[in-house]
Amino acid sequence: THRNIDAKKEKIKRLIFFNFAISYEMSFFLSGTITPAGVAQVDRYMHLSAYAQDGQLEIDNNWVENTIRPIALGRKNYLFAGSDSAAQNLAVLYSLVNTCIKNNINAYTYLHWLLKKVAGNKVTPQAIDWLPHRIDPKILEAFEG
């Protein structure tokens, strides 16, 4: 409920401030001056306070890590591609598929359409409009493979 969320936010704010206060005081107590570590603590406190104020901010980056994991695995696979050109081709393929996923496009349908398009048409500078993030979804809906 809304009351539980507000209570949770207040608890998080108190924990963040308590953590900041203890670390900042310890930094000052040990050195007698405001050290670079103390300045860094103030910076961290400001960022964590923003998290506690804005409900849209995430406390971790798991979503991003899960999103880029296939890219990291692809990088590892490029080592075993056989040649530099094969590795570049794999990188292009991974990029196209992941861009399709990000833009809610069926990667199989898109690649099927793209291969037919490339085979039947001259590739000109306007072919940039064939990329997954620029293509009109209606074209793929009308495509019959």
Side-chain angles (χ1 to χ4, degrees):
T1 66
H2 189 64
R3 212 177 319 187
N4 289 342
I5 292 172
D6 288 340
K8 185 178 177 184
K9 276 186 177 182
E10 285 304 315
K11 184 177 180 181
I12 289 170
K13 286 179 193 176
R14 285 194 301 272
L15 287 172
I16 291 170
F17 182 76
F18 181 72
N19 184 16
F20 162 74
I22 287 178
S23 58
Y24 189 74
E25 290 294 323
M26 288 300 292
S27 171
F28 185 77
F29 176 74
L30 292 175
S31 66
T33 61
I34 298 176
T35 63
V39 173
Q41 286 294 355
V42 171
D43 187 50
R44 284 191 198 113
Y45 174 70
M46 298 303 281
H47 286 88
L48 285 171
S49 295
Y51 158 74
Q53 298 296 326
D54 187 352
Q56 294 180 355
L57 298 175
E58 294 288 334
I59 191 71
D60 59 26
N61 65 346
N62 288 340
W63 180 80
V64 174
E65 288 183 10
N66 290 337
T67 302
I68 65 171
R69 186 170 289 119
I71 296 167
L73 291 173
R75 256 194 324 249
K76 193 172 183 182
N77 291 338
Y78 303 152
L79 295 172
F80 305 104
S83 68
D84 288 344
S85 62
Q88 286 179 338
N89 291 338
L90 271 174
V92 168
L93 182 62
Y94 278 130
S95 295
L96 288 172
V97 169
N98 282 315
T99 305
C100 284
I101 291 168
K102 185 177 179 186
N103 289 287
N104 296 321
I105 294 173
N106 182 320
Y108 177 80
T109 303
Y110 170 76
L111 290 173
H112 192 180
W113 173 86
L114 182 64
L115 291 173
K116 283 194 171 207
K117 185 83 167 167
V118 169
N121 295 293
K122 183 177 181 181
V123 178
T124 63
Q126 286 74 28
I128 196 162
D129 293 328
W130 300 349
L131 293 173
H133 65 286
R134 297 188 69 168
I135 192 168
D136 183 3
K138 294 175 186 170
I139 292 173
L140 293 177
E141 288 173 11
F143 174 68
E144 294 180 20

